Amino acid sequence: MSEPKIRILVADDQGVIRMGLAMILDHEPDLTTVAQAGDGEEALRLIDQYDPDVVLMDIRMPVMDGLVATERITAANKAAGRSKPAVLVLTTFDDEAYVLSAVRAGASGFLLKDTDPDLLVSAVRAVHRGDSLVDPASTRVLLERCVELERQIGGTTAAAPAQPDARWAGMLSQLSEREREILVWMARGLSNRDLASKLFVSETTVKTHVSSVLSKLGLSSRVQAVVVAYEAGVVRPGEAEVRWDA
């Protein structure tokens, strides 16, 4: 018996882009587009109707933009105690504000619309299995912005070392030694599969640890945990490498 296909909803206000994304996704044997939406409000209605596993969400849309829609999806998932649908944000704007806003809203991933089709397909599979990622070009922007925020908070100069954000100290103290280790390796770009191999445990065990880390830190996605790791000084710039796994 074959595995069920990953069900995807595409939300974008441009019909041509929606159709193009759907064609790319439907070409894959394990993916299927179940619905398309032209704005965030319609996307929320269609989620209730079609129960997708992943939502490809444009940021700039009429009626309700993708960031607001993502926030509502995240809130609904949390209230229902579920992890789907995962949101993969798509945009043409390579801007730090959008990257951070998408992460804060609970997106599991961030890609530019002109990304390679193979990378798009890999990203959908990654967020579906519980891994998080951002576009490689945007990763640098995201982490540089986080470092800048640390400097502003700590009152340091560009030449001086950034001070960790004390806001996370109490929450981080709740993590066990293994959970802190998991957080560090997540921030360095390791997927669940990578972590299982490195720590000599099963992927199920890794997922349990990751869920515990996110719960204790009050986060909704792994990519938010990466930001926290940098803001808290658990990982420093230059120590992380984003991995893309098919």
Side-chain angles (χ1 to χ4, degrees):
M1 185 175 179
S2 61
E3 291 289 326
K5 292 187 176 184
I6 300 173
R7 298 164 56 83
I8 306 158
L9 185 151
V10 178
D12 194 292
D13 63 336
Q14 298 184 50
V16 172
I17 291 179
R18 291 198 305 270
M19 292 176 62
L21 291 171
M23 288 179 62
I24 292 171
L25 299 169
D26 291 338
H27 183 71
E28 299 298 317
D30 59 331
L31 308 179
T32 182
T33 304
V34 296
Q36 298 181 28
D39 59 68
E41 190 172 278
E42 183 180 16
L44 296 180
R45 292 198 303 269
L46 293 176
I47 286 172
D48 291 336
Q49 182 177 350
Y50 290 96
D51 190 30
D53 300 303
V54 177
V55 176
L56 293 186
M57 185 77 75
D58 185 24
I59 286 184
R60 290 195 172 185
M61 294 186 291
V63 185
M64 179 188 294
D65 67 37
L67 296 178
V68 173
T70 299
E71 288 174 347
R72 296 194 181 183
I73 292 169
T74 301
N77 287 349
K78 186 175 182 180
R82 66 191 182 208
S83 59
K84 75 168 193 175
V87 178
L88 182 58
V89 170
L90 294 169
T91 183
T92 57
F93 302 93
D94 186 8
D95 183 287
E96 65 186 27
Y98 288 114
V99 178
L100 286 171
S101 294
V103 171
R104 300 302 186 196
S108 294
F110 184 100
L111 291 171
L112 299 179
K113 287 184 180 178
D114 61 358
T115 192
D116 183 84
D118 289 340
L119 193 56
L120 170 64
V121 169
S122 295
V124 169
R125 291 172 179 149
V127 297
H128 176 254
R129 66 174 177 257
D131 290 332
S132 294
L133 48 111
V134 290
D135 179 78
S138 300
T139 301
R140 175 186 53 78
V141 177
L142 172 63
L143 299 183
E144 286 179 354
R145 177 57 179 163
C146 289
V147 171
E148 181 60 29
L149 288 173
E150 289 178 347
R151 287 171 178 155
Q152 292 174 5
I153 294 170
T156 59
T157 64
Q163 297 298 314
D165 189 339
R167 293 177 301 170
W168 297 107
M171 289 186 178
L172 289 174
S173 67
Q174 300 177 44
L175 301 182
S176 67
E177 183 176 345
R178 174 48 63 90
E179 289 168 347
R180 286 180 65 89
E181 184 180 12
I182 292 285
L183 175 61
V184 168
W185 287 115
M186 279 197 296
R188 289 176 177 171
L190 271 68
S191 67
N192 287 344
R193 187 181 306 165
D194 294 330
L195 281 166
S197 177
K198 186 172 188 65
L199 301 176
F200 302 103
V201 297
S202 69
E203 284 191 54
T204 299
T205 298
V206 169
K207 289 181 180 179
T208 299
H209 284 310
V210 170
S211 295
S212 181
V213 170
L214 298 181
S215 177
K216 289 181 179 181
L217 296 180
L219 306 174
S220 60
S221 73
R222 289 169 57 114
V223 72
Q224 288 181 331
V226 173
V227 175
V228 169
Y230 274 83
E231 291 182 336
V234 174
V235 178
R236 296 292 185 181
E239 294 181 338
E241 177 184 358
V242 172
R243 290 280 305 278
W244 295 88
D245 298 304

